[in-house]
Amino acid sequence: MKTQLHFLLILLISTFVTAQEHEHQSSRPLSFPDIPGYKNLKTDLHIHTVFSDGYVWPNIRVMEALRDNLDAISLTEHLEYQPHLEDIPHPDRNRSYNIAMEEAKEHDLLIVHGSEITRSAPMGHNNAVFIKDANPIVQDKAEDAFAEAKKQGAFVFWNHPAWHAQAPQGNPILSDFQKERIKKNELHGIEVINSVDYAQESLALALEHNLTIMGTSDIHGLIDWDYTEKGNQRPITLVFAKERTIASMQEALFAGRTVAVYNDLMVGKAEFLVPLLKASIVIEKASYAKNTQVLELELKNVTSSDLLFQNESEYSFYDSSPVFEIKAGEIKKVAIKTLVLKDEITLKLKALGCFTAPKTQPIIEWEIKTK
């Protein structure tokens, strides 16, 4: 009997552990390589819970982030818009952050303290992250809220600037308010991807005013419902930090070392997007077909995004279109007509789903030694 009870106990513990492990696994976790000199941190810094206008408890956001293989999140509750106060009164605006920290303490996930300053146009909505205390940022005047965020050392970015509810034409309007915030070093970034929307005009503003390029989910419901079940991944910001810490991530964001990602769309400055794409494709094979001058390549996509390319090399393809896709985690075989045997070639591909400026797609080069 004791043996049976012992076996049953082991079985229950094993089942519980397996269930716990499964809880924090996704069928397609987000994955992107490091670039030379930096660690690639996968972040979502615009998230809501029931402590503002979201629909889930903060611990769910932690579990979702773990399932998606993120490195860091920020629960950026609206400071001025609190529709659930009647049911969930919370005079301490740090409550959501504290609950998330408690949930994440046994997991390898960074929780960035943040809040959203929520105003009508022209001020708009702005996230202040890496704050110390959300309560003093609740101010009557938007200018005072930004000043307090700066006092706390916050990194502040402009949320969904092309949102048609505040910009009816669907294009961001850089008002005198934003210009003054930039001048006073109180506004540091801008979302070029928010939820499922990409605005190339926001990218233009980022480049013109040296604002950090951001991509966020702005999730209110469940990630599974709003993204996964629709065949999409959550939008994120890849932050290229010197090490995997809150302080290093903060430094990287102020320095503008980011790429915004949503599905197969990648947006960032060339100095970061180009090395990311170069590291995203690994040359698994480069050898000539027997008794030919046709070079056979195997290109592996080591990211969680499907990538679309166009051949820009001096060599044409033997057996496929010059425009081709490499699915996430898969290998694409292509054959190149080099006309003569070569010890080394330069493969040049334009990344069609990626942008370093409006309508500007980068060309990536790989130096390939043949066998």
Side-chain angles (χ1 to χ4, degrees), residues 3 30 37 64 71 75 80 91 105 124 149 199 204 217 221 230 235 255 266 287 293 295 300 304 315 335 347 352:
T3 302
L30 297 172
E64 289 175 330
D71 295 288
L75 278 58
E80 296 81 7
K105 68 181 182 181
S217 70
K230 297 176 181 178
M266 296 186 184
S287 60
Q293 290 79 50
L295 180 63
K300 183 175 183 180
S304 52
Y315 317 106
L347 177 66
L352 297 183

Side-chain angles (χ1 to χ4, degrees), residues 143-183:
E143 293 86 348
D144 294 339
F146 276 81
E148 175 60 32
K150 179 182 179 181
K151 181 180 176 182
Q152 295 189 25
F155 172 85
V156 180
F157 60 95
W158 186 9
N159 299 340
H160 44 68
W163 182 34
H164 57 67
Q166 293 190 344
Q169 291 184 333
N171 287 334
I173 300 171
L174 189 71
S175 69
D176 290 339
F177 178 84
Q178 274 94 26
K179 292 176 183 176
E180 185 67 13
R181 303 285 74 74
I182 293 171
K183 181 180 178 181

